[in-house]
Amino acid sequence: MNHNMKRLSEGAMMCGLIGLILVINRQLLNALDVYLFWIIPLPLIVYTIRYGIKNACVVTVSSTLLAFMLSLPQTVFYVLASCIVGMVYGYGVRNKKSNGWLIGNTILGSCIIMIITAILFAELFGYDLTSEVEFVFQTMEQMKVPVSNQIRDMGRMLLYASMFISCVLEGFLVHIIAFVILRKLKIEVPQFVPIFQYKAPRWFGYFSVLVVISNGILPYFTQNTQLSEILLCITIICSMIAGLFGYILVLIAVRVRRQKYGLLFFFLLLLLFTKFVLILLVTLGLLDMTTDIRQTLIGRFAK
């Protein structure tokens, strides 16, 4: 009985904490919407670790209903999505998942929220980033600055790349804050591991290859603008992740060959031949995710 009372009391306290945040956000004219993904998951992480994901679902539903009464529809979505991310993170800690699993799923949740709010239902959330980018290009043309189709594509790619980087930073921020809080609460959490030990699951590698190929052939089958934008956004996300693992592979190769100025030479190539080196990094990353090339290099380094 005492355990049930404690569970109900802590659940009510978590809902009350989220409600307080929503009231403050309402008084500030929803200025805290952009920070909800950093704050809302934290109570759910602690509650899920202590009482399991089933009980956390009750807190999530209660918090969402509370958001319906206190906030605008877009804030309700942010609260629901952030609570789900918190439950997934807490489930991972409770089941002793690795740091890579925790960070990866947090970043994935942030990316899904970004795709839904910025592309799929952009008008519902009150903004349209692609139209804003097009407005910038139209302004450049009015100023007699030539804007080619290649520049337009590059602008859209930079937009989605910057949004993905913000999702990565949000994921790492949630992970770091949760790590500090859980350590203070004497909850066991996985220790940080060297970057060389991070490796994407093989299914994600095959998925990335499929996405890159689909982005190249989709224009031949359909002219659906929204579908093309979503696929382009996913392609950029997969390419940036592949590029990161490609860079890790380059670091491992430099250590294997014991080249003193290997990284300096690599950065020089990156500056001189940016496009080709980036394509090379993405290719190496896809190889790293779909083959055992990293284990081969590490095996040589161990010898």
Side-chain angles (χ1 to χ4, degrees):
M1 184 64 181
N2 290 334
H3 177 75
N4 289 333
M5 287 298 297
K6 183 179 180 182
R7 173 173 55 81
L8 293 173
S9 299
E10 289 194 18
M13 182 179 66
M14 298 302 177
C15 291
L17 180 60
I18 294 174
L20 176 62
I21 296 171
L22 294 176
V23 171
I24 295 174
N25 183 47
R26 183 174 181 177
Q27 295 300 316
L28 296 177
L29 302 178
N30 299 315
L32 299 181
D33 274 358
V34 293
Y35 304 108
L36 291 181
F37 185 78
W38 305 352
I39 304 171
I40 298 297
L42 301 176
L44 268 297
I45 290 173
V46 176
Y47 193 82
T48 305
I49 294 172
R50 287 182 172 174
Y51 301 107
I53 197 166
K54 290 184 179 180
N55 293 313
C57 287
V58 178
V59 177
T60 297
V61 173
S62 302
S63 300
T64 305
L65 293 175
L66 191 61
F68 266 113
M69 294 184 286
L70 298 175
S71 307
L72 297 175
Q74 60 264 33
T75 306
V76 175
F77 171 77
Y78 287 130
V79 171
L80 175 61
S82 300
C83 286
I84 293 174
V85 170
M87 286 195 301
V88 173
Y89 191 101
Y91 168 83
V93 175
R94 184 180 175 91
N95 290 273
K96 303 187 184 303
K97 300 290 185 179
S98 64
N99 264 303
W101 191 95
L102 297 174
I103 296 175
N105 281 279
T106 306
I107 294 175
L108 177 62
S110 180
C111 290
I112 292 175
I113 294 173
M114 181 265 291
I115 291 173
I116 292 175
T117 57
I119 301 176
L120 199 57
F121 299 112
E123 295 182 1
L124 177 63
F125 287 89
Y127 53 84
D128 190 347
L129 295 179
T130 55
S131 298
E132 293 179 8
V133 173
E134 186 62 29
F135 175 76
V136 172
F137 291 143
Q138 292 176 0
T139 304
M140 293 173 62
E141 290 176 342
Q142 293 175 0
M143 297 173 63
K144 308 302 181 182
V145 178
V147 180
S148 63
N149 291 332
Q150 186 177 6
I151 293 177
R152 291 177 182 272
D153 293 338
M154 183 62 67
R156 290 160 57 221
M157 292 176 64
L158 289 175
L159 170 66
Y160 294 135
S162 64
M163 292 170 64
F164 173 67
I165 291 174
S166 69
C167 291
V168 172
L169 295 178
E170 285 180 349
F172 272 98
L173 183 61
V174 171
H175 178 66
I176 292 171
I177 296 175
F179 181 84
V180 173
I181 292 176
L182 295 178
R183 290 293 297 270
K184 292 294 183 180
L185 294 174
K186 308 299 182 182
I187 297 175
E188 184 180 354
V189 289
Q191 297 295 323
F192 289 100
V193 298
I195 190 172
F196 297 110
Q197 296 184 18
Y198 284 101
K199 183 173 175 61
R202 186 157 296 187
W203 66 264
F204 182 78
Y206 292 124
F207 172 77
S208 300
V209 173
L210 179 62
V211 166
V212 172
I213 295 175
S214 300
N215 185 64
I217 65 176
L218 181 67
Y220 297 101
F221 295 96
T222 180
Q223 300 298 323
N224 188 315
T225 305
Q226 191 178 53
L227 180 61
S228 299
E229 291 296 322
I230 294 174
L231 186 59
L232 176 62
C233 181
I234 297 175
T235 302
I236 293 172
I237 291 174
C238 293
S239 298
M240 293 186 68
I241 294 174
L244 173 62
F245 284 106
Y247 177 69
I248 294 176
L249 199 63
V250 169
L251 292 179
I252 295 174
V254 170
R255 292 184 64 180
V256 169
R257 297 298 299 273
R258 294 180 173 85
Q259 295 292 330
K260 186 176 181 181
Y261 300 103
L263 283 181
L264 180 61
F265 178 70
F266 174 77
F267 282 119
L268 181 62
L269 287 178
L270 183 60
L271 292 175
L272 295 177
F273 309 100
T274 303
K275 179 179 179 180
F276 301 102
V277 176
L278 290 177
I279 293 175
L280 175 62
L281 285 177
V282 172
T283 304
L284 290 174
L286 293 175
L287 284 174
D288 178 60
M289 291 188 288
T290 56
T291 66
D292 296 325
I293 186 173
R294 184 189 297 193
Q295 283 74 12
T296 303
L297 289 176
I298 293 177
R300 291 186 58 186
F301 180 70
K303 295 178 181 180

